[in-house]
């Protein structure tokens, strides 16, 4: 069977977003500018990103039997994600995220995991036939770590390209890291994973090398407006970010990761994949919301963000 497309295993959250001029200090009460709700969750965001760019995309996750879950799954389906393998949890609410976005587009996020943390290794095992169909498997750290380990193990058995976006930051075992083809930390996550303080290019390189020593095949460090840094045994390169006015940085990392998964599923070489991912992430920060700001390929042309 010809393998194509991407399996995203991960979280879905309803994002409850308030826009403010400045973040409040601890103990301070401030007036916000507006309140909005957007579909989010790192897994769902990455799945919608892949699907909008044109990949055949499957999502494996857990949502509650509630209004947020219904609205999130409806939106994913509308955007072209195959949700036949979505599991409905009768005992937990759908995940939510409380997000504050300030005037310069920076955000603060608090996640209430709900049903996302009930996605079990057995759930993944019961869906292992999908791994045979797809080329790329991608996951993040908003679901239990044993579930991620099971996904990595089955992906290895099936010869998938396995991408781990280690967000939100968590220390990871060498057992898991040695199964990762592409690890995509930001600078904070890189510091946590490597145990090396990250402050400049030299320390980023040292920290990424530490992860290669732990068995990761390729490390891609996302560095915001400084771009992305690729390190593998064969290659070391910085890919500059596109210059853009940031409205809301929420989901920029998911846009980047979704685009990498899409490009690798199309057989693209990693340098080209990172250039596309930089464009997709740049587009995503120009609008409010995580999934609502993701582009189709033709949008990139329109906004002159294509390479
Ligand atoms: O990466 C952004 C996402 O993080 C948001 O959509 C929020 O739900 C949290 O999971």
């Amino acid at each position: 069977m010809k393998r194509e497309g991407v399996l995203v295993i991960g979280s879905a959250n309803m994002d409850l977003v308030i826009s403010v001029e400045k973040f409040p200090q601890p103990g301070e009460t401030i007036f916000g500018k507006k309140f909005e709700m957007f579909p989010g969750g790192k897994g769902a965001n990455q799945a919608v990103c892949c699907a909008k760019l044109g990949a055949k995309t499957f999502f494996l996750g857990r949502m509650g039997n509630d209004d947020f879950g219904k609205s999130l799954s409806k939106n994913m389906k509308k955007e072209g994600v195959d949700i036949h393998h979505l599991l409905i949890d009768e005992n937990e609410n759908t995940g939510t995220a409380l997000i504050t976005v300030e005037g310069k587009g920076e955000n603060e996020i608090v996640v209430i995991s709900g049903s996302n943390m009930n996605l079990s290794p057995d759930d993944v095992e019961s869906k292992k036939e999908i791994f045979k169909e797809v080329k790329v498997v991608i996951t993040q750290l908003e679901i239990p770590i044993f579930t991620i380990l099971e996904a990595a193990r089955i992906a290895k058995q099936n010869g998938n390209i396995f991408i781990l976006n280690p967000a939100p930051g968590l220390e990871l075992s060498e057992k898991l890291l040695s199964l990762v083809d592409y690890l995509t930390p930001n600078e904070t996550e890189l510091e946590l994973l490597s145990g090396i303080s990250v402050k400049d290019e030299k320390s980023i390189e040292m920290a990424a090398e530490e992860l290669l020593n732990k068995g990761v095949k390729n490390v891609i460090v996302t560095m915001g407006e400084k771009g992305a840094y690729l390190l593998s045994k064969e290659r070391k390169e910085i890919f500059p970010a596109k210059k853009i006015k940031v409205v809301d940085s929420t989901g920029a990392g998911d846009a980047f990761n979704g685009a990498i998964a899409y490009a690798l599923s199309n057989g693209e070489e990693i340098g080209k994949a990172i250039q596309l991912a930089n464009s997709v992430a740049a587009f995503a920060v120009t609008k409010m919301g995580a999934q609502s700001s993701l582009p189709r390929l033709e949008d990139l042309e329109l906004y002159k963000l294509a390479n």
Side-chain angles (χ1 to χ4, degrees):
M1 189 199 294
K2 183 173 171 280
R3 282 159 178 259
E4 54 169 335
V6 179
L7 167 62
V8 182
I9 304 175
S11 60
N13 298 325
M14 183 58 85
D15 289 351
L16 311 178
V17 182
I18 54 170
S19 303
V20 297
E21 207 43 65
K22 276 187 180 168
F23 292 127
Q25 297 299 312
E28 188 187 10
T29 301
I30 61 165
F31 287 107
K33 294 199 289 189
K34 69 181 162 186
F35 168 77
E36 293 164 285
M37 292 206 291
F38 295 104
K42 295 184 194 303
N45 296 345
Q46 293 177 18
V48 167
C49 182
C50 290
K52 282 185 90 166
L53 291 172
K56 183 173 174 192
T57 309
F58 298 92
F59 178 71
L60 174 54
R62 266 191 187 272
M63 293 183 196
N65 187 7
D66 49 30
D67 288 348
F68 282 171
K70 287 182 187 114
S71 157
L72 292 174
S73 54
K74 192 170 157 200
N75 184 65
M76 291 182 89
K77 194 170 170 196
K78 184 186 100 212
E79 299 292 12
V81 179
D82 184 322
I83 55 163
H84 285 102
H85 303 284
L86 176 68
L87 300 164
I88 302 300
D89 199 308
E90 296 296 337
N91 302 315
E92 260 295 357
N93 295 326
T94 300
T96 45
L98 306 181
I99 303 183
T100 310
V101 180
E102 53 83 274
K104 294 193 185 102
E106 286 296 317
N107 63 54
E108 286 180 350
I109 305 181
V110 179
V111 172
I112 302 295
S113 296
S115 52
N116 294 311
M117 280 296 169
N118 283 353
L119 188 73
S120 69
D122 285 350
D123 291 336
V124 176
E125 168 71 25
S126 73
K127 302 285 182 183
K128 67 179 179 202
E129 289 308 305
I130 330 170
F131 287 71
K132 295 193 171 57
E133 279 188 47
V134 299
K135 188 154 177 173
V136 173
V137 175
I138 182 167
T139 187
Q140 324 72 29
L141 300 181
E142 286 186 332
I143 54 173
I145 197 70
F146 291 115
T147 306
I148 294 162
L149 193 58
E150 184 67 356
R153 199 184 59 74
I154 300 176
K156 184 60 44 185
Q157 269 174 7
N158 284 281
N160 301 115
I161 298 172
F162 182 68
I163 306 173
L164 176 60
N165 173 216
L170 192 70
E171 282 179 43
L172 299 175
S173 66
E174 282 198 39
K175 189 172 168 193
L176 175 58
L177 290 172
S178 66
L179 296 171
V180 176
D181 294 307
Y182 293 90
L183 187 77
T184 57
N186 63 20
E187 289 164 272
T188 318
E189 292 149 4
L190 176 67
E191 185 162 318
L192 183 74
L193 289 167
S194 65
I196 292 173
S197 157
V198 166
K199 39 188 186 314
D200 52 20
E201 213 177 288
K202 186 76 210 141
S203 54
I204 289 177
E205 186 178 336
M206 275 167 56
E209 253 167 26
E210 181 65 20
L211 296 176
L212 293 187
N213 294 337
K214 292 183 186 212
V216 176
K217 314 280 176 308
N218 299 267
V219 181
I220 305 171
V221 185
T222 54
M223 305 182 297
E225 61 188 20
K226 292 178 281 168
Y229 174 86
L230 167 68
L231 189 74
S232 67
K233 290 232 157 65
E234 301 77 37
R235 193 163 174 184
K236 178 171 85 173
E237 195 167 340
I238 290 184
F239 296 83
K242 307 273 171 184
K243 299 235 174 314
I244 210 92
K245 183 177 176 326
V246 180
V247 172
D248 175 11
S249 56
T250 310
D254 300 329
F256 184 92
N257 277 277
I260 293 281
Y262 157 80
L264 292 179
S265 80
N266 271 350
E268 197 60 87
E269 70 88 21
I270 189 59
K272 283 264 164 27
I274 295 174
Q275 281 169 6
L276 174 76
N278 276 343
S279 299
V280 172
F283 184 94
V285 300
T286 61
K287 295 181 173 51
M288 285 299 291
Q291 288 166 38
S292 51
S293 62
L294 293 166
R296 296 183 193 284
L297 280 181
E298 54 270 28
D299 295 324
L300 297 178
E301 301 286 342
L302 210 61
Y303 286 82
K304 311 236 175 307
L305 280 167
N307 297 297

